[in-house]
Amino acid sequence: MPRKKCLGFKEVAPTIQRISIYQTNARIYIIGTDFSQSYYRLLKIDRTEPKSLVIDDDNRKYTEKEMDEILKMIDGGNTNSVNKINGLQKTVSSFGIVGFVRFLEGYYILLITKRRKVAIIGGHFIYKIEDAVLLYIAPTANKLNPEESRYVKTFLNVDLSSNFYFSYSYDLTNTLQTLMRLHPAQPPPATKYVWNSHLLKDFKHKVNPEWVMPVVHGFISQNCINVFGRSLYVTLIARRSRYYAGTRYLKRGMDDLGNVANDVETEQIVYESYTISHRTGKYTSFVQLRGSVPGFWSQDIQGVKPKPPIRIDRGSPFSEGAARHFNSCLGRYGCPVVIFNLVKKKEKRAHESLLSQELEGSITYLNQFLPPDFKIHYLHCDMARITRSKERSIIDLLENRSKRVVKMNGFFHSGHELARNQIRANADWEGMGGRFYTPGEPGRDQAGVVRVNCVDCLDRTNTAQFMIGKCALGFQLYALGVVDDPQLNFDSDVVKMFEEMYEAHGDTIALQYGGSNLVHRIRTYRKISPITSHGRDIMQTVARYYNNAFADQDKQMAINLFLGVYIPEDNSTHLWELSTDYYHHHLFTTSLACPRPLSYTKWWTDDVIISLPRPVLEAQSTDTVVDNVESQSRDSPAVKPVRVKKVPSLSYKYEEFYSPNELTVLHKLFSYTLNSQYSTTEYMPGDATDMSPFTIRTRSSGQNKVVVGKKVAPERKTIVGTPAQPGIDD
């Protein structure tokens, strides 16, 4: 009997995991090693040329003995007891290099000093940055000038310990479907989500790729569904775009390149934990987007205005900006692209409705020229109006729309269709979209993506995305053979756990963009939140207003400096002296060197239309892929083919997961902690006799709160990222 094909993906090239920094008066020596310390690498940085990043990488692997001899030789050559010159001094230990940055004087190196495991995908650990340090490369004999010190202070306002993530062996910037469909090729990182791209600009081309490590910003959380001893991991990954990034009122709409504000890609991955192999394991994923309405609009926050008026800043009769935005969506995800608009459509005084008109007009215009099979789909739901209605349920409406959306896009599954689902398929399974299972070929694919938006893309958007994710979760579990019916009940343990994950997801994104937690939560729209939650909602509204009015300007300056939107130069206007950063994002108004405008009718790029209905990366051959399809950045305005290097199969994933050379304690293992403390069993009532996580539980009411199993659901502490878990590497 012929062996069935199966999907897999190449792990990224091995990355340096442990770093030691040594220095002399003339040089900095960076010693790096892999997880098992089987080999070492050496970087030398010249300290005598502070305004130039002079790095020497001999691109050679050393043994531990050879490296010790090199360090002793350097120490001996730099020690002078007569002149009291010290030799080699160790300054810091690190888990990775974030990058290098220069303001007005010399270069700095940004290092990760603490990390924490937050998730695992098929044996690949994902880490959250817990602490980082910025080191000045040049000798610090003289004090920094005031302007330099202020730039350093502004730069450090971007707190790397707040929801920045990385992995040594898993590409966090690409979706699971992209990684597995391009196997055996290794796609390059999606630069749209590499937040340290600017910091790596002067570094990555001078050293071995093992030193280079992309860092993403957003949210990652992982929990376990325990089905009678069968463990499935549910992972939520939110990737925030670095293009047109910023704070709520200072970044609205989009820039001239079609990059929208608050652009976040959310991927939910469900897989069985019994194996770390991507070939024998069964993996599923579903991807959705959120982002500001693609148009040139803003809100004036001058004065005390709880709801500043919306203003359309620039008309676009040919929807050029929206065309660039949707071209990037089609290029990254394929079709159909489904727009789920939650903004009001009818108002006594036009406010939100201006955005609905702008969005509908753009889609209507652009759809005129697209082939019928590739048209952009548009759905509308006035959540605010329906929520106030006593006759209609917004949750029921969202559930119906969610099922429709998921069926249009489908989801990704790496395995073959179960015979059980073929013989007696559930009625909800009929008509499932996407690229379906085919004879001889493994898996099914998600086709296209759903893009959800309201005005801020926070409260309403998070609830709608939760409903879409809940519907997708049911189909993912059905495809894995866990449930007979993809319809999951709200009062089951698995949905309670999933709802809490999405609330943490929404809180984190709201803090990053809006300055406070969610104001209206999922339970608010379900109309089951306790009376005490109204006071909390008011406090969150006040906190959001305060941050928007008084703190967002400093936060925006820090983001612009970190991402390289603004680059300090001698004899130029300082960052804090600029009245606006508008001209840094809207280049068409100040520069003639911008990308050529798209055609008013053929508004798509050739590589996108040729690839449809598939994404560009998947449509390319496995040896040649295109990087940065989703958005054209300033540092690489043209899309160029990139030769993909095939990476040999390595054992570092095995070494990192099993740690065969280390003494380990069971209760400190990440997988043990995940199964015991972050599982659906934690949501079961103490007197439960039915241990199934899909059983409908009875909700018992307290005086001021609703108790769900062993946890208090509505009154959670502020979550910035994933709940604290053991596993910090000091």
Side-chain angles (χ1 to χ4, degrees):
M1 184 175 179
R3 187 177 179 181
K4 289 184 176 180
K5 292 182 179 180
C6 54
L7 290 177
F9 66 82
K10 286 289 184 185
E11 295 84 2
V12 298
T15 308
I16 297 296
Q17 292 205 23
R18 296 182 184 272
I19 292 173
S20 297
I21 308 293
Y22 296 85
Q23 67 179 21
T24 64
N25 289 334
R27 287 182 178 173
I28 286 180
Y29 297 89
I30 304 178
I31 313 299
T33 183
D34 64 339
F35 177 81
S36 59
Q37 300 181 11
S38 60
Y39 68 90
Y40 292 80
R41 290 190 180 274
L42 174 64
L43 290 181
K44 290 174 280 188
I45 303 178
D46 189 356
R47 304 183 72 189
T48 61
E49 296 289 340
K51 293 192 176 183
S52 299
L53 187 60
V54 182
I55 298 180
D56 179 23
D57 181 7
D58 57 12
N59 202 22
R60 178 184 167 186
K61 292 183 179 180
Y62 297 94
T63 64
E64 184 177 3
K65 183 179 179 181
E66 290 173 334
M67 186 55 64
D68 286 339
E69 292 175 352
I70 292 174
L71 293 177
K72 288 178 182 178
M73 182 182 66
I74 296 173
D75 183 53
N78 288 274
T79 302
N80 190 325
S81 58
V82 177
N83 297 327
K84 297 182 180 181
I85 298 176
N86 296 324
L88 193 66
Q89 296 179 334
K90 185 176 180 179
T91 57
V92 68
S93 295
S94 168
F95 294 106
I97 299 174
V98 179
F100 293 79
V101 64
R102 176 180 174 268
F103 306 119
L104 297 175
E105 297 184 2
Y107 273 89
Y108 300 80
I109 179 173
L110 187 58
L111 300 165
I112 300 169
T113 55
K114 284 187 180 180
R115 64 183 184 182
R116 175 163 57 89
K117 294 174 183 174
V118 293
I120 182 172
I121 300 177
H124 301 282
F125 284 110
I126 299 172
Y127 297 87
K128 178 180 181 290
I129 299 176
E130 290 292 309
D131 199 7
V133 63
L134 187 68
L135 293 181
Y136 190 45
I137 292 177
T140 55
N142 300 322
K143 276 191 172 184
L144 300 176
N145 65 57
E147 289 78 13
E148 180 77 6
S149 298
R150 185 165 181 179
Y151 276 119
V152 172
K153 184 179 179 181
T154 301
F155 182 85
L156 293 177
N157 281 340
V158 176
D159 185 7
L160 286 181
S161 65
S162 177
N163 307 109
F164 284 85
Y165 304 89
F166 66 95
S167 176
Y168 298 111
S169 55
Y170 184 84
D171 184 2
L172 285 172
T173 66
N174 282 305
T175 64
L176 183 66
Q177 176 174 318
T178 299
L179 295 175
M180 300 191 83
R181 278 300 173 198
L182 291 183
H183 175 74
Q186 178 187 319
T191 58
K192 178 178 183 178
Y193 301 110
V194 180
W195 268 63
N196 59 334
S197 181
H198 170 65
L199 306 180
L200 295 173
K201 182 178 62 175
D202 298 330
F203 171 66
K204 62 182 179 181
H205 299 300
K206 300 178 180 180
V207 299
N208 187 285
E210 293 185 22
W211 293 99
V212 180
M213 185 176 65
V215 173
V216 301
H217 183 39
F219 172 83
I220 296 179
S221 179
Q222 187 172 61
N223 279 32
C224 175
I225 301 176
N226 194 317
V227 188
F228 302 107
R230 181 183 179 185
S231 296
L232 299 99
Y233 290 165
V234 181
T235 311
L236 208 58
I237 301 176
R239 308 173 179 95
R240 179 175 290 281
S241 171
R242 70 183 178 95
Y243 299 135
Y244 205 49
T247 55
R248 185 184 178 202
Y249 285 129
L250 299 179
K251 287 291 167 285
R252 291 297 213 189
M254 64 180 175
D255 64 9
D256 285 340
L257 296 175
N259 302 306
V260 297
N262 201 18
D263 187 354
V264 181
E265 176 186 88
T266 300
E267 180 179 19
Q268 61 186 58
I269 300 172
V270 182
Y271 75 98
E272 296 192 75
S273 63
Y274 66 86
T275 179
I276 66 172
S277 170
H278 295 101
R279 287 185 168 275
T280 59
K282 302 299 185 292
Y283 297 81
T284 65
S285 74
F286 179 78
V287 178
Q288 52 183 321
L289 284 179
R290 71 170 68 188
S292 189
V293 173
F296 300 108
W297 61 279
S298 63
Q299 286 181 274
D300 185 9
I301 57 173
Q302 300 297 325
V304 182
K305 298 176 183 177
K307 188 180 288 188
I310 292 175
R311 178 178 61 200
I312 305 299
D313 297 325
R314 193 198 319 171
S316 183
F318 303 107
S319 302
E320 290 183 68
R324 293 182 183 275
H325 175 71
F326 290 121
N327 180 68
S328 70
C329 291
L330 291 169
R332 181 169 172 85
Y333 306 103
C335 67
V337 171
V338 183
I339 309 301
F340 193 8
N341 180 26
L342 307 175
V343 177
K344 296 176 182 178
K345 204 170 184 178
K346 295 181 179 179
E347 296 174 295
K348 293 181 180 178
R349 178 180 296 178
H351 182 65
E352 292 186 14
S353 57
L354 294 173
L355 301 181
S356 284
Q357 295 170 12
E358 182 81 7
L359 182 58
E360 288 183 23
S362 295
I363 294 174
T364 302
Y365 175 80
L366 297 176
N367 271 340
Q368 295 179 86
F369 313 106
L370 271 177
D373 293 340
F374 305 151
K375 287 186 180 296
I376 301 168
H377 296 262
Y378 178 79
L379 300 175
H380 179 264
C381 174
D382 189 342
M383 276 189 69
R385 181 175 59 84
I386 298 175
T387 300
R388 292 193 297 268
S389 173
K390 296 181 179 180
E391 299 176 354
R392 302 177 66 185
S393 169
I394 185 60
I395 293 298
D396 290 342
L397 179 61
L398 288 177
E399 196 152 23
N400 293 332
R401 295 287 175 86
S402 298
K403 187 180 295 185
R404 179 180 173 186
V405 165
V406 173
K407 282 194 170 186
M408 291 173 72
N409 292 132
F411 62 95
F412 172 73
H413 178 209
S414 67
H416 294 269
E417 185 178 17
L418 299 177
R420 183 200 70 176
N421 294 346
Q422 294 177 356
I423 296 172
R424 54 177 191 276
N426 186 277
D428 288 334
W429 187 250
E430 299 295 331
M432 175 60 66
R435 290 180 286 277
F436 210 68
Y437 306 97
T438 56
E441 290 293 330
R444 55 165 297 117
D445 293 344
Q446 178 175 342
V449 72
V450 55
R451 184 191 186 279
V452 187
N453 73 267
C454 54
V455 177
D456 298 322
C457 301
L458 297 178
D459 302 353
R460 286 175 281 181
T461 296
N462 196 69
T463 299
Q465 285 199 323
F466 162 71
M467 294 300 299
I468 295 171
K470 170 181 170 290
C471 179
L473 177 65
F475 285 114
Q476 289 174 280
L477 295 173
Y478 180 80
L480 293 172
V482 180
V483 295
D484 292 326
D485 186 354
Q487 185 73 25
L488 302 178
N489 193 281
F490 270 106
D491 293 321
S492 61
D493 300 331
V494 65
V495 174
K496 292 168 188 171
M497 179 198 75
F498 193 65
E499 180 181 336
E500 191 162 305
M501 291 178 71
Y502 256 94
E503 292 243 326
H505 165 265
D507 277 342
T508 304
I509 292 176
L511 278 166
Q512 293 165 3
Y513 182 65
S516 74
N517 287 348
L518 293 170
V519 175
H520 302 297
R521 317 181 77 79
I522 297 171
R523 287 179 167 270
T524 304
Y525 290 103
R526 290 180 62 193
K527 298 182 180 179
I528 62 170
S529 57
I531 190 66
T532 54
S533 68
H534 298 308
R536 189 205 64 83
D537 292 347
I538 294 173
M539 291 301 298
Q540 293 300 331
T541 302
V542 173
R544 184 176 292 184
Y545 174 79
Y546 174 83
N547 281 284
N548 296 157
F550 302 106
D552 278 2
Q553 190 67 45
D554 292 338
K555 187 176 177 181
Q556 185 66 57
M557 286 196 299
I559 293 173
N560 289 343
L561 191 62
F562 188 90
L563 295 177
V565 175
Y566 173 88
I567 300 177
E569 295 179 356
D570 294 327
N571 302 318
S572 65
T573 305
H574 293 303
L575 176 62
W576 49 87
E577 295 174 348
L578 296 173
S579 59
T580 178
D581 64 353
Y582 179 87
Y583 300 105
H584 291 293
H585 296 282
H586 299 83
L587 302 180
F588 286 9
T589 60
T590 59
S591 174
L592 299 177
C594 294
R596 179 178 59 84
L598 298 173
S599 168
Y600 294 148
T601 55
K602 296 181 179 179
W603 51 266
W604 51 83
T605 54
D606 292 338
D607 56 346
V608 170
I609 200 67
I610 292 172
S611 302
L612 291 178
R614 302 182 72 88
V616 171
L617 282 177
E618 294 180 28
Q620 300 287 334
S621 66
T622 56
D623 290 329
T624 304
V625 295
V626 177
D627 184 21
N628 202 17
V629 173
E630 68 283 348
S631 183
Q632 296 184 358
S633 64
R634 300 169 185 81
D635 49 358
S636 56
V639 177
K640 299 179 180 179
V642 177
R643 183 66 59 181
V644 175
K645 184 177 181 180
K646 295 185 178 180
V647 181
S649 179
L650 302 171
S651 62
Y652 59 86
K653 181 177 73 171
Y654 174 87
E655 293 278 348
E656 185 179 10
F657 183 77
Y658 289 106
S659 303
N661 300 321
E662 293 184 2
L663 178 64
T664 55
V665 182
L666 183 62
H667 71 270
K668 289 187 177 181
L669 291 177
F670 180 81
S671 299
Y672 177 83
T673 304
L674 189 64
N675 280 274
S676 60
Q677 299 181 20
Y678 298 91
S679 169
T680 48
T681 55
E682 293 296 302
Y683 294 82
M684 292 182 183
D687 57 350
T689 56
D690 188 343
M691 307 304 289
S692 170
F694 307 105
T695 300
I696 301 175
R697 309 291 183 187
T698 302
R699 185 184 297 107
S700 58
S701 299
Q703 183 177 358
N704 292 320
K705 54 193 174 186
V706 178
V707 178
V708 180
K710 303 174 186 176
K711 292 197 172 184
V712 178
E715 295 188 2
R716 295 182 301 106
K717 294 181 179 180
T718 300
I719 295 179
V720 185
T722 200
Q725 299 174 355
I728 295 180
D729 293 309
D730 297 318

